[in-house]
Each structure stands twice: as structure tokens, then as C-alpha cells.
Amino acid sequence: MQSWVDGRPAGSLSLKDRGLAYGDGLFETIAVRGGRPGLLDRHLARLAEGARRLSFDLDLDLVREELLAFSAQLDEGVAKLMVTRGDGLRGYALPGTPPRRILMGSPYPAYPEGHAEQGIELFPCLTRLAEQPLLAGLKHLNRLEQVLARAEWQDARFAEGLMRDVSGRVIEGVFSNLFIVRAGVLLTADLGRSGVAGVMRAELLDQAAVQGIVTQVRDIGYEELLTADEVFLCNSLYGVWPVRRFAGHDWSVGPLTRKLQALARDLLDS
Amino acid sequence: MQSWVDGRPAGSLSLKDRGLAYGDGLFETIAVRGGRPGLLDRHLARLAEGARRLSFDLDLDLVREELLAFSAQLDEGVAKLMVTRGDGLRGYALPGTPPRRILMGSPYPAYPEGHAEQGIELFPCLTRLAEQPLLAGLKHLNRLEQVLARAEWQDARFAEGLMRDVSGRVIEGVFSNLFIVRAGVLLTADLGRSGVAGVMRAELLDQAAVQGIVTQVRDIGYEELLTADEVFLCNSLYGVWPVRRFAGHDWSVGPLTRKLQALARDLLDS
């Protein structure tokens, strides 16, 4: 598959890149259908927020332009965009060079049909998310916690894993955000201390509110998850997966989950 | 300067490398003098511990062999060794490919003479270290906290910055470990929740014990730092820098600091 660095075809990168040295960068994983990047404004908004908080002097118009051109060439698949702080000298001090833009194409992942239809079983990860408000919410390149969590299970029966923070709060999946439904209210974790604020999560929160569904973004305790009426995961590639089983608890696929799944499908197909 | 990937000269890296994608790797920064890598066994021991905790199937004999050959060519300077999990597929699951070995040479940094002689002023970083026992102590490639901390000051009057953890404990410098002396006892922070366990820190703890100095590795509160008799920093490139000033507090360079500075100098020159 094709890949670009700073707008030109390339398959490799300088060893001096600070994305490699320190994980000093951000990324977005974008569904491309019919030559168009999905949820483009949401992805760019999160990238802009990350650039602001990490002090990247990023030309967002240029990023948008390249992403559109790259998606047109890719046609169907996943565009992974990485933005790094470019080459560094030795040491942590900011080099003052412009950020580097990396685009990589890959085929659309072949998720089993059953994940969306019947729902999935969630693995209880022991790896806890550290609390770091300065990085929370961002999709940055420091992802060792996710690597450790994903390495906890090999059994294909688990499609995703649940991650809690060091204080035990329920946060998200390894590569998904988590929603629960309690008494008709749609809840997802506050990501002010840890976690990745997914673009599909943001989109579903907005769309649900438009549909008159009451939404809450707040801390979620473990017991609240276990006693929820409905549980589901989302991301910008697969949309919504109902959670059918976790830690000996079983759920059927609920009506709000199906409603939001249909909304997500519309968003990804549009 | 020269650089090698997997034992062969190379200046670039696959865009698919998981060191770039997730910071999924480890590094060592090694002083090279007279063609020999300094504190080699310590560096390799820390790397081995990191490889074990991150489940890298690393051939340490090969790493040692390459490091010796690379240092012989470099002669004088700094050898930066990175080990990444190699190329990945999309997603966090471990790819099962062997780790990639990267070696990069750079000139020996030109630290001002005064830093070691008269001591340095320490900047009080606001960036706090998150508590993540699974990664604490390791020199891994997830270093955004250090990037944020180092970006807090531009004034060259500060040679280093102090980092505390989210609970306020005194942990380390941005690129150094910290020691304090209180009533003749040499103290450094426990790094079980955050921080990088430096090879010079380990060496000084051992050497001090051999010299009959009482050492303690434990949590250090902020007030303990401010009321310490002596304060100094160390790493494997510059040895020991006395801390002369921090947050309105002044210290003169104490006798234990000078003793350990001489020990560090011997280690780096040997």
C-alpha cells in the first residue's frame, strides 16, 4: 500500500525523527470509502487540539489537503495519519523544526460480521491506565499501555479488552471507547485524566443529544458497568459493537445500542 | 555521524516500525571513549530488564557485540541504542517479529565546565510524572512527559529541571536522576511508580555502599528536598552535577557530592 511523507511518496523515515525517539507526535486512523476520508472534521479537530497541547506548529489546511488527495488515491481502506515533531538533535528540547506529516494506507480491516450483529466478549485487562491530565484525551504516539493491555490475551473469543485507570474507574477499550446505558441515560467516561477521546465517541454524543437521548460524560465505577442495562464499544472504523459478555456478566443487545449503531453506520457510509 | 539498523549502516527506518507507531521500544544513551562504551554491563542489564517486562525476545549477546563494534568505529562520542518491536501490522497486537536494533552516533555533548564545578540551577517543572508501575524505571520510548517538561524553560540559566510525580513526590530531573544528602545519608527516589532508573544512579548507589556511605532508596517529599544538606544530579554522560540553587533555595557543593562526583568521573574515564 502507498505511503507519503510530507506529501511525497516514501516508505521510510529518518532515524532522527522524534516520533521514534520519544513518541513525540500524534496520529489519526481514518476510514476511507469511495475515495473520501470519514469524519474528517472530527479527526482534524482532535489533531488540532493535540497540536495545540503539544505545541506543534501544524499547518492544518495542508494536512486536510494531503488527506483528501491521499484518500482519493487510496479509494477504499484506512488512512493512518501521523504527525511528528520532525528530526531532533540529541535531548528533549524542542528542535524548532516544522512537524513532519506521514500518511500510510492499509486495507479496510476484516472484522467478523458477528461482532456488530451479535455483540462481542470483552477481556478484563489488568493493565491500568495512568492518570496524566496533560496527555489525557489525545491520540498521541505514547501507547505502551495499550500494547501491554493488548498483549494480555490471545484467545480470539475476545474482540476487545476493557481498560480501567489506576484508581479503578472504567475508561475505555484498548482501541475503542466505551458507552453504557443506565435507566435510559447514555454514559461514557470522562477522559480528563486518561484515555483517548475518540471521534466516533464525540459524534455519537452529539447525535444522541440531537435525538433527545440524555447523555452524561462522567467518572464510571466498575459496579456501574457490571449493572448497566446496555454496554457497547465504538470507534471510527467499525462503528458500534455491542458488548454481550464481560467478566461473567451477560447482556443482550439493547434498543439504544441498536439505535446508535445505526447512526454510526450512517456516518461511516455517508 | 554513522548509524546502523540491525548491524548494517542505514540512516532511515520503515514507516511501519512500532517504535514510531506506539513508542514500542527501549533506548540507552551510552558514553563512548577511546572506542569503548562506558558502563556497558549496566546499560545491558537495564535493557534486559526492559526487554523482559515488555516481552521483547532480544538477543543480548548480539546487542553487546554490535555495541562494541559500533563504539570502536565511533571512538569518541555518544552511542544511542534503540530497540523497537520491529514492523507492525495495523493494531496493537504483538506482531511476533524479532526486535529491531538501531545504533546512532553523535558527538560528545559540550556541557559547560561550570556545571560540574560550581553546580547548576534547577528549574521547577510543573509537568508531573504519572504513576505507572508497569513502565516505571524503564528507559522506554514513551517520553512525552519529558518533552513537555523540557519545553517549560528556555532560559539557559537552568541546566536541568526537577520533576515530581502527580502525588508531589520528588522523583528526578528531565534527563538525570536526583540524589539528596540528609544527615550523612545518601537518598534517591524509589522508582517503582515513575521515573527512569539511570545506570549512573545504580552505579553510585553501589559504589557509595562500598565506601561505607549509608544509602536509602525511598519516597522523597518536597520538604525533604528543600531542607537537604546536599543535592546533586547524575547521568551516564556528564557524571555528577551539584545543585546550587532551586526554587529560591541555595546550597553550597557538599563533601559527599564531591566524593561521588570523583567516583563518577573515574567510572566515565576508565
Side-chain angles (χ1 to χ4, degrees), chain A residues 181-253:
Chain A
V181 177
R182 291 178 66 88
V185 177
L186 183 67
L187 285 156
T188 192
D190 180 293
L191 303 180
R193 301 182 202 86
S194 66
V196 177
V199 295
M200 185 58 85
R201 169 180 176 275
E203 197 63 43
L204 291 181
L205 281 171
D206 277 8
Q207 299 264 348
V210 168
Q211 305 267 328
I213 299 163
V214 179
T215 63
Q216 277 182 25
V217 177
R218 63 161 171 84
D219 291 345
I220 297 177
Y222 192 57
E223 277 301 309
E224 290 188 292
L225 166 63
L226 297 182
T227 58
D229 302 321
E230 305 179 30
V231 182
F232 68 89
L233 298 165
C234 71
N235 81 15
S236 64
L237 293 186
Y238 66 66
V240 165
W241 286 344
V243 174
R244 208 189 51 221
R245 192 171 170 80
F246 169 72
H249 294 254
D250 292 285
W251 290 270
S252 51
V253 183

Side-chain angles (χ1 to χ4, degrees), chain A residues 13 128 132 142 144-145, chain B residues 13 128 132 142 144-145:
Chain A
L13 185 75
R128 297 292 181 99
Q132 177 49 277
N142 279 199
L144 274 172
E145 291 177 330
Chain B
L13 187 74
R128 298 292 181 97
Q132 178 48 277
N142 279 199
L144 273 173
E145 292 177 330

